[in-house]
Amino acid sequence: MKQSRLMSLAEAIANVFVGYGVAVVTQILIFPIFGLHTTLAQNLKMGAIFTVVSIARSFALRRVFEAIRVR
């Protein structure tokens, strides 16, 4: 059974939001262990940057694998 486009979109959006939340919580918990002390605003901004980079990486890898599949 194939996934509908709407469900694919819902999955992608959920993945981005969950990834962002995981990144921010991880930073809040892990940074102090390494002596890095940041504000919540800084953690939110860094989480956003990591999320954008993750989306770009994921998109690029999908395109590479699609190009491989087509060959």
Side-chain angles (χ1 to χ4, degrees):
M1 175 185 242
K2 284 180 73 174
Q3 187 178 50
S4 71
R5 286 188 171 105
L6 183 60
M7 285 308 295
S8 291
L9 176 62
E11 179 185 338
I13 291 169
N15 188 29
V16 168
F17 278 107
V18 169
Y20 177 73
V22 168
V24 171
V25 170
T26 301
Q27 289 162 201
I28 290 169
L29 296 174
I30 300 300
F31 280 10
I33 294 171
F34 292 95
L36 303 169
H37 301 284
T38 56
T39 65
L40 178 58
Q42 290 171 323
N43 279 313
L44 293 172
K45 288 176 188 174
M46 283 187 283
I49 292 167
F50 293 147
T51 299
V52 169
V53 169
S54 178
I55 291 169
R57 182 199 69 232
S58 192
F59 176 77
L61 282 172
R62 276 182 199 244
R63 300 318 311 154
V64 166
F65 277 86
E66 179 62 15
I68 292 168
R69 185 191 70 79
V70 169
R71 287 185 200 175

